[in-house]
Amino acid sequence: SCGIAMDETAWCWGRNASGRIGNGTSGIDRPLPTLVSGGGTWAVISAGGHSCGLQTDGVAYCWGNNSKGQLGNGTLINTGTTGVLSAVNVQASFTAISAGTSHTCALDSLGDLYCWGWNGNLQLGDGTQTDRPMPIIAATPASFAAPWTALETGYAHTCAVDASGTTWCWGLNTQGQLGTGSA
């Protein structure tokens, strides 16, 4: 789990596999909130199989497990164990971010939806099953009302809300997680 304090510092606690706590250690679980290294002021933070956050200037950072490119830095190298967080490699000012198990999605200030990481169940929204270690802009449905306004990632699916308030979901649906009435 992660959270942001009143002074805009980021804190994480719990399982610390692959450095997902973001304090320069790995494998040492933290039962109490631990300050995320790197400084800066934080606006949003999300914990999944890795951790990501947005600083108040809109720059996105991710840390921890990167086996599928879910940190968005163009590599498959885990970070967070060095105490240096990995900046997501795209020139955008982000307003929202969500870390799934092995993929990440974020909204930029223009309402574009970027996703990266594991794509084995089409959860990145690009119509392929190709993992992406760099952010790509997700495709938009034909009846989509631009811009995207909210998002959330799960284990292997993604949901986002468009300007009309319509919720769109894609990816793994074996247990009905896409809300289509079927599995």
Side-chain angles (χ1 to χ4, degrees), residues 94-97 106-113 140 144-152 159-168 170:
F94 291 106
T95 59
I97 196 163
L107 291 177
D108 74 5
S109 59
L110 301 175
D112 289 326
L113 178 62
T140 54
F144 163 77
W148 293 110
T149 60
L151 80 142
E152 191 63 52
C159 294
V161 179
D162 71 15
S164 73
T166 301
T167 300
W168 301 86
W170 53 93

Side-chain angles (χ1 to χ4, degrees), residues 19 22 36-38 42 50-53 59-66 69-90 97 116 133:
V36 172
S37 63
W42 296 87
H50 58 293
S51 302
C52 293
V59 175
Y61 292 89
C62 294
W63 56 94
N65 183 16
N66 197 30
Q70 60 266 44
L71 303 186
N73 63 9
T75 76
L76 300 179
I77 300 168
N78 295 344
T79 66
T81 58
T82 63
V84 177
L85 307 183
S86 177
V88 173
N89 195 358
V90 67
I97 196 163
W116 57 92

Side-chain angles (χ1 to χ4, degrees), residues 132-145:
R132 306 287 183 181
M134 297 278 290
I136 51 102
I137 295 180
T140 54
S143 56
F144 163 77

Side-chain angles (χ1 to χ4, degrees), residues 5-90:
M6 295 294 289
D7 65 357
E8 298 178 323
T9 54
W11 299 77
C12 293
W13 57 95
R15 188 164 186 244
N16 194 25
S18 304
R20 72 180 73 169
I21 298 293
N23 71 335
T25 66
S26 180
I28 302 169
D29 295 344
R30 303 293 178 174
L32 295 172
T34 302
L35 184 65
V36 172
S37 63
T41 56
W42 296 87
V44 177
I45 197 160
S46 179
H50 58 293
S51 302
C52 293
L54 301 178
Q55 291 202 340
T56 54
D57 62 3
V59 175
Y61 292 89
C62 294
W63 56 94
N65 183 16
N66 197 30
S67 62
K68 299 290 185 177
Q70 60 266 44
L71 303 186
N73 63 9
T75 76
L76 300 179
I77 300 168
N78 295 344
T79 66
T81 58
T82 63
V84 177
L85 307 183
S86 177
V88 173
N89 195 358
V90 67

